[in-house]
Amino acid sequence: MPTAAPTVSAPSGSLLDLIGATPMVEATRLDTGRCRLLLKLESQNPGGSIKDRIALSMIAAAEREGFLKPGGTIVEATAGNTGLALTLVGQAKGYKVLLVIPDKMSKEKIQHLRAMGADVRLTRSDVPHGHPEYYTDMAERLAQQIPGGFYVNQFANDANSAAHFETTGPEIWAQTGGEVGALVAGIGSGGTITGIARYLKSVGSDAEIILADPVGSTLAGIVNDGVPGPEGSYTVEGIGQNFVPDTADVTLIDKAYSIPDAEAIATVRELLLKEGILAGSSSGTLIAAALRWCREQTEPKTCVTFVCDTGAKYLSKVYNDAWLADQGLTERTLHGDLSDLITRRPEEGGVVTVGPDDTLDTAFKRMRGADVSQLPVLQEGRLVGILDESDIVHVLDTDEITRKERFAKPVRSAMTRDLDTVQVKEPLDALIPLFDRDRVAIVLDGERFVGLITRTDLINHLSLNR
């Protein structure tokens, strides 16, 4: 049976007119048990996330109530997506935007915000709510100091949940024909799950309201047991808290699932592999919880959840195998030797290398592109040297030849042949003398090059395997 052609609309005069009315698609290649799993593609909003809805609502409310006036500055604490949405809406309306962001956020989000013209202030992600450097506390303080500053405070702003009561909820009801067995959402600020739950109850729906919460957030414990769950760190961005935001009405929630980072990331990568949908890390948490709910059902039901934002903002993290290995989020077989510290392996293409006959220009570009300060020099798969930034500087520090000729010199003219190597079966203590001499450890198995170990690799290994 042919699928219906997508509908098209006339050109819009503003991106703001395109916020909302996002499409919904069924996941047909994931194991959903007896149920249908419908994904509302909030990544299709013009700012790339579900937060476009609340930015439009909260700024409009501030204008109506006189809190935000021409020439004013929008100030907000955000994990990134609300900031992008506020910048999109705020700049379209002529406001300046200042954003306070925890330092664990992906670099794509931060670069995106700065490219849009937002004033981005990074703050610590390792401090609790109430600490002066916690991102909400810092944003509120800055808003008070800036003339014309308006602290949006998505965590206690009624226009947040109102946006979802007025738009997202009705859209879901219409798109499903009123057949919603469960709605799965997270709590970042709390507006999504609260606003939609209130709408569904207002139209007489008996849908279960399910919270998807990262392990390390305390909210699932509050929902399931009435007391905060164990607090810890997690890498998923945008959802989970160590407090209940004022915007969130947890009495509307029927059940919560705690989803580990590894499960969320595996789910979102499976979503891309099987369904072709590039989604962000929080979507992995939501969809993992939705899949758990679906597989528990004994009769067919319809479950709705979200692709909250696009995975293009997480390519350096969720979709980066080396980053996942550094975080201990991949399944690896440990051998009890120095190879356990090596997350970037040459046989897997994870190590950037250079050849002795490559130019210094080529070597420097590879260093810069991979954000490393040294390169192994391989010839026919055998390690023959190592080149670091200081070697290049030494060659360039001469007036005998032109700059062009300097960079055209071969790597063999600058590389270090006196290598500090360790055998893969040596103990961790063998690394310390090398690090004391400010060297990187070159690990060999006999004569075979296994990889490099830096101080950071050692610290990360000890941190993950305490």
Side-chain angles (χ1 to χ4, degrees), residues 31-35 182 208 210 255-259 263 288-301:
D31 177 11
T32 61
R34 296 176 177 269
C35 297
E208 286 188 64
I210 307 296
K255 183 178 182 179
Y257 292 94
S258 290
I259 306 296
E263 182 179 350
L291 289 172
R292 287 196 194 183
W293 184 88
C294 286
R295 293 165 186 166
E296 290 173 1
Q297 306 310 304
T298 57
E299 58 185 55
K301 295 180 182 178

Side-chain angles (χ1 to χ4, degrees), residues 24 34-38 176 179-183 207-208 293-294 297 299-304:
M24 184 179 282
R34 296 176 177 269
C35 297
R36 297 178 73 205
L37 176 58
L38 303 180
T176 61
E179 295 183 8
V180 184
L183 173 88
E208 286 188 64
W293 184 88
C294 286
Q297 306 310 304
E299 58 185 55
K301 295 180 182 178
T302 297
C303 180
V304 177

Side-chain angles (χ1 to χ4, degrees), residues 136-217:
T136 56
D137 298 82
M138 185 173 174
E140 184 173 9
R141 186 171 64 252
L142 287 171
Q144 293 170 351
Q145 296 169 354
I146 296 170
F150 167 64
Y151 177 39
V152 176
N153 194 7
Q154 61 179 312
F155 299 96
N157 192 319
D158 290 340
N160 180 343
S161 58
H164 296 292
F165 182 90
E166 295 166 2
T167 68
T168 322
E171 289 173 26
I172 290 172
W173 192 247
Q175 287 170 310
T176 61
E179 295 183 8
V180 184
L183 173 88
V184 179
I187 289 180
S189 61
T192 301
I193 199 165
T194 300
I196 299 172
R198 284 175 178 164
Y199 177 80
L200 292 176
K201 293 183 185 301
S202 75
V203 293
S205 172
D206 59 358
E208 286 188 64
I209 307 301
I210 307 296
L211 173 65
D213 205 36
V215 168
S217 167

